[in-house]
Structures are given as C-alpha cells and as structure tokens.
Amino acid sequence: STLSQSLQSTFCGSCYRAIVTAGVASGEGSAERSAILNVLGGYPATLSYTWSAAIPVTSSLVFGAMDGRKQETVRDVVNWFRSQRGVDLMDNKVHFFDDRDGNISPFAGTGFNAKQVSCASRDNIIGLCGATPDEVVAVTGVHPCT
C-alpha cells in the first residue's frame, strides 16, 4: 500500500508501533512477517523481534486477534509495553487503524482512539487497497468510514 511506503511521514513516524492482526501474517519465520516488521520501523519502533499470539500477548507484533475484540488485544499490547519495556503509554495517545468496519466501534469507551481506513476502496466490510497516508491522522475518538 502507499501507507507502507510512507508510514514514517505520518504522525506515527515518531511513535512506538504495533500490529494486531486477525490473520497469521503467513506464519512463523515468513517473509511477510519480516516485511511487516520492517515497514513498522523494526525493533526501534516496536521494541520486538518476535511475534505473539493474541493470548497471551508477549510482543507488540500480534497475530490471531479476534475481529470485534481487537480493543482487548490492544489493551494487552499497551500493558506489555508498560510491564516488559517500561514504556507507559497513555490511553488517549494510543491510535488504532483498521480496514474492517466491525473493529472500530468496539473501541468506544476504551480511552483509545480508533479510525477506519481504506474508506475509498471497499469490498463490503473490508478495504481493498490498504490505508493511505492521509487517512493516518491523530484524530481523537472512534471514527468509522462515513
């Protein structure tokens, strides 16, 4: 996606980053997992080299998170950053982006920010072409596609 080529140019460029995916990202040791870690900024941005299942979270790189319950996994990632890396992230500074409509509204009331991306190209409930850099903005609250 265009976002993967320019993540550093968004407000996220100066943030710690994580991934919470429902998929397996092609599995252990895969080229896809290496590429994702690289796009996220490697160890300096994620403080992780290894991937973690959603239960229990042992990394900022999480696979197998349940759609509709990713807010719980994001909470676990925030707790992991705090307990395992000494990084105290304030809830209102945590931003979650997802292309699936059912993963955004459950963030209401969590204190986290969530924004749906890939809004211009949709196939029913999922985005087709990935997020664009102009969708990755530091808005507060919970924002599905309109």
Side-chain angles (χ1 to χ4, degrees):
S1 72
T2 56
L3 178 61
S4 69
Q5 298 169 14
S6 56
L7 182 61
Q8 290 293 110
S9 69
T10 71
F11 86 99
C12 294
S14 61
C15 305
Y16 287 111
R17 289 169 228 130
I19 183 169
V20 173
T21 182
V24 296
S26 296
E28 188 173 343
S30 70
E32 182 178 6
R33 286 188 181 186
S34 293
I36 290 168
L37 178 57
N38 186 51
V39 165
L40 289 173
Y43 185 86
T46 64
L47 303 182
S48 295
Y49 288 115
T50 60
W51 285 71
S52 166
I55 300 173
V57 167
T58 60
S59 167
S60 61
L61 310 169
V62 181
F63 65 90
M66 289 182 59
D67 282 325
R69 298 182 68 176
K70 287 185 176 181
Q71 73 282 2
E72 297 167 14
T73 306
V74 169
R75 169 67 60 209
D76 291 343
V77 170
V78 168
N79 290 339
W80 176 85
F81 268 112
R82 183 176 298 118
S83 68
Q84 300 302 310
R85 296 299 186 257
V87 176
D88 193 16
L89 303 172
M90 295 173 26
D91 289 355
N92 67 344
K93 299 293 185 184
V94 173
H95 293 266
F96 174 83
F97 301 92
D98 200 297
D99 67 332
R100 188 177 286 267
D101 54 8
N103 287 331
I104 301 303
S105 59
F107 276 81
T110 63
F112 299 137
N113 304 292
K115 185 174 186 306
Q116 190 172 359
V117 294
S118 194
C119 293
S121 63
R122 309 287 309 156
D123 180 11
N124 196 11
I125 63 170
I126 61 170
L128 290 176
C129 297
T132 59
D134 62 322
E135 291 178 300
V136 178
V137 293
V139 295
T140 58
V142 176
H143 301 275
C145 294
T146 55

